[in-house]
Amino acid sequence: MKILVPVKRVVDYNVKVRVKSDQTGVDIANVKMSMNPFDEIAVEEAVRLKEKGVATEIVAVSCGPVSCQETLRTAMAIGADRAILVETDAELQPLAVAKLLKALVDKEQPQLVILGKQAIDDDANQTGQMLAALAEMPQATFASKVEVADGKAQVTREVDGGLETVSIALPAVITTDLRLNEPRYVTLPNIMKAKKKPLDNVKPADLGVDPAPRLKTLKVSDPPGRKAGIKVPDVATLVDKLKNEAKVI
């Protein structure tokens, strides 16, 4: 069984992002970049399935500039067998990424696509669902447990107020939640081995996809700062302010 794992290069989650002065986006110049944490969980889950003997090959995929090769090498250091970079400098929005991945799904014919439920830079939470729709594949989102057997995947999903377990036929698309697993530490020997694993470069045109953005970002701004709190002398004053000023009671 072949597993396709899309990964995205994003600003490291430990970095405090800053909005550009012209409010056109987030400043990523000289900022540490890393693999999207949800995608890292997806790679780990694919590797665990291979270790169980369920999967035979793991293909990591990334869409973006040449610098995304670094993210793909990390995926191969975790355990992916090979990687594909869809190289483009265009601004990639979820629909464009889903179309690129759909073209790769048609080419590679994986039995399972595992990807993070969302990227921490745009928080769109759309690519997995769009890919499933375009490829006409069943999907299970927000997975916190995955078991694959007999041509089906049993997925436990995070839902409001509890858990939901669904069974889907393969091939399928699964998006990962934080509770699915804890990614392993990447060791130096595996980083060195990853440098020798195959990494193919393709262009969107080779896949017959136009990645031009459909949406235009008008403005990006920082969230408003919180106002300083005040102290009240007694409960009566607190209730009065909540009722007449905050108007919450």
Side-chain angles (χ1 to χ4, degrees):
M1 185 176 82
K2 182 189 293 186
I3 301 179
L4 191 74
V5 186
V7 296
K8 186 176 184 181
R9 186 172 184 262
V10 299
V11 175
D12 190 86
Y13 66 91
N14 288 313
V15 174
K16 180 176 174 58
V17 295
R18 300 183 184 278
V19 176
K20 292 180 180 178
S21 57
D22 59 2
Q23 295 188 318
T24 57
V26 173
D27 186 6
I28 60 172
N30 302 316
V31 171
K32 182 184 178 184
M33 308 290 283
S34 62
M35 186 190 300
N36 178 46
F38 290 101
D39 296 337
E40 196 172 359
I41 292 170
V43 177
E44 173 67 25
E45 190 63 23
V47 173
R48 292 188 184 189
L49 288 173
K50 186 179 179 182
E51 290 172 344
K52 291 177 182 176
V54 175
T56 54
E57 184 182 25
I58 302 169
V59 184
V61 179
S62 191
C63 306
V66 178
S67 53
C68 290
Q69 288 185 0
E70 180 184 342
T71 304
L72 289 171
R73 292 293 179 193
T74 301
M76 288 190 285
I78 294 173
D81 298 295
R82 60 187 175 93
I84 301 172
L85 172 63
V86 182
E87 186 182 336
T88 175
D89 291 321
E91 177 194 351
L92 292 176
Q93 294 175 349
L95 180 58
V97 176
K99 288 180 177 179
L100 292 169
L101 293 177
K102 196 267 182 183
L104 287 174
V105 165
D106 292 341
K107 180 181 178 182
E108 294 287 336
Q109 293 294 309
Q111 282 71 53
L112 195 58
V113 181
I114 307 178
L115 66 161
K117 68 173 184 177
Q118 65 195 73
I120 61 172
D121 53 0
D122 56 18
D123 274 336
N125 186 13
Q126 296 173 349
T127 304
Q129 292 89 326
M130 288 178 170
L131 171 61
L134 291 172
E136 297 183 350
M137 296 164 70
Q139 61 176 309
T141 55
F142 315 128
S144 61
K145 184 179 180 181
V146 176
E147 294 179 353
V148 179
D150 302 323
K152 292 186 177 182
Q154 186 167 297
V155 182
T156 302
R157 303 180 59 241
E158 299 276 341
V159 297
D160 290 341
L163 301 173
E164 176 185 63
T165 302
V166 296
S167 178
I168 54 177
L170 302 181
V173 176
I174 296 175
T175 68
T176 63
D177 209 337
L178 280 174
R179 295 172 184 81
L180 180 58
N181 61 53
E182 185 175 340
R184 67 194 66 190
Y185 178 77
V186 180
T187 61
L188 182 58
N190 286 335
I191 293 174
M192 300 307 293
K193 290 177 184 177
K195 293 181 179 180
K196 298 180 181 179
K197 292 182 179 181
L199 195 161
D200 298 328
N201 273 45
V202 298
K203 303 285 186 182
D206 300 333
L207 301 173
V209 176
D210 177 15
R214 301 293 198 274
L215 306 175
K216 180 181 179 181
T217 302
L218 301 179
K219 186 175 74 169
V220 177
S221 58
D222 287 308
R226 293 182 62 182
K227 296 180 180 179
I230 60 170
K231 291 184 179 180
V232 293
D234 50 44
V235 175
T237 307
L238 172 62
V239 173
D240 179 68
K241 287 186 176 294
L242 290 174
K243 184 176 182 180
N244 298 314
E245 293 184 20
K247 298 187 183 300
V248 295
I249 60 174

